[in-house]
Amino acid sequence: MISKAGKALNGHLDHRNPLVFDTHELGRRPGAMKRLSRSVEAPGSPVLGIDGVIGVPEGAPVELDLRLESVMEGVLVTGTARATAEGECVRCLEPLTVEVDADFQEMFSYPDADDRGRSSAAEPADDAEDDEDRFFLEDGLFDLEPMLRDAVVLALPMQPVCSEDCAGLCSECGIRLDENPGHHHDAVDIRWAALQGLAETVQDGEKDNMGGAEPGVDEKQEK
């Protein structure tokens, strides 16, 4: 459950990573609280957002406001992340930016926390499944990146548009309709297309006949 981005080469969380936070100052005193503000660079690979749709570019600033609260089971982390995401309108494909304001809250449990809420009849397999859904402190440190990624994805639009009334692109030629409000194509019913082509051929033939002499006229004049 711990992101690779927050790990050092030895497999432990790296306190030098800007998305790794230290809770040692809180101690294990329930009720202790600490507020933090930090500006970090958006992680990449994958993009912080919805890959291929919209996201915060790698290295772009992300402003974090956090509140760390010590409770019996661990440290409750509540916070907000603010950043600017970039993408393109799904209707007209024009570039756009979206201001992201993502709220999140997560419990980071002590590794030796007493699981009082579990049933005494719980199977080991059930315990393993519960652990997969939990985040744990590692030597007093926690990695914010997995929680940050989830929060930003939920805060972003799945289908971003440059404006709610964006008209999109012409399905015939691809021109942007907002810039050409009167743009249109004359619709031709395909059922009449063959007859229209035949009529044009007949008309062309009639024009050719009118431009030439009638058969036998020249011969009569010669006689």
Side-chain angles (χ1 to χ4, degrees):
M1 294 298 295
I2 299 176
S3 169
K4 294 180 180 178
K7 292 187 176 183
L9 295 178
N10 60 5
H12 297 290
L13 291 180
D14 185 357
H15 69 277
R16 295 168 298 181
N17 187 308
L19 288 173
V20 171
F21 292 82
D22 193 335
T23 67
H24 283 101
E25 290 186 17
L26 287 177
R28 295 186 66 162
R29 304 182 305 277
M33 185 179 70
K34 181 179 181 180
R35 293 185 181 274
L36 294 172
S37 293
R38 182 180 295 183
S39 180
V40 302
E41 293 184 354
S45 302
V47 68
L48 183 61
I50 306 170
D51 196 22
V53 180
I54 188 170
V56 182
E58 182 175 1
V62 180
E63 303 299 327
L64 299 173
D65 290 316
L66 305 179
R67 184 180 66 195
L68 314 183
E69 298 177 81
S70 179
V71 295
M72 290 293 295
E73 298 82 5
V75 175
L76 180 65
V77 179
T78 306
T80 301
R82 297 179 179 85
T84 301
E86 298 178 359
E88 64 179 26
C89 176
V90 296
R91 296 178 187 170
C92 68
L93 306 182
E94 287 293 306
L96 56 78
T97 59
V98 174
E99 296 302 317
V100 185
D101 198 338
D103 297 323
F104 49 82
Q105 185 176 72
E106 189 63 65
M107 169 69 74
F108 288 86
S109 302
Y110 297 122
D112 57 348
D114 182 15
D115 300 321
R116 299 174 183 175
R118 292 185 179 178
S119 169
S120 58
E123 297 292 334
D126 296 333
D127 293 347
E129 290 178 1
D130 289 343
D131 286 345
E132 289 181 357
D133 296 330
R134 301 171 67 192
F135 289 89
F136 289 92
L137 292 170
E138 183 180 323
D139 192 24
L141 304 175
F142 69 86
D143 182 11
L144 188 68
E145 184 175 339
M147 179 169 51
L148 176 63
R149 287 189 177 278
D150 290 344
V152 170
V153 167
L154 292 175
L156 287 172
M158 296 297 292
Q159 294 188 318
V161 291
C162 58
S163 65
E164 291 300 326
D165 56 352
C166 175
L169 303 177
C170 173
S171 59
E172 296 288 335
C173 64
I175 196 171
R176 191 163 182 259
L177 296 177
D178 281 348
E179 297 176 352
N180 300 271
H183 176 77
H184 72 281
H185 294 269
D186 293 331
V188 177
D189 193 326
I190 59 175
R191 295 173 298 179
W192 295 100
L195 292 177
Q196 182 178 357
L198 179 59
E200 291 175 353
T201 302
V202 171
Q203 290 176 359
D204 291 341
E206 291 176 350
K207 290 179 181 178
D208 291 341
N209 290 336
M210 291 177 63
E214 293 183 0
V217 171
D218 294 338
E219 294 179 358
K220 291 179 181 180
Q221 290 177 351
E222 291 177 357
K223 291 180 181 181

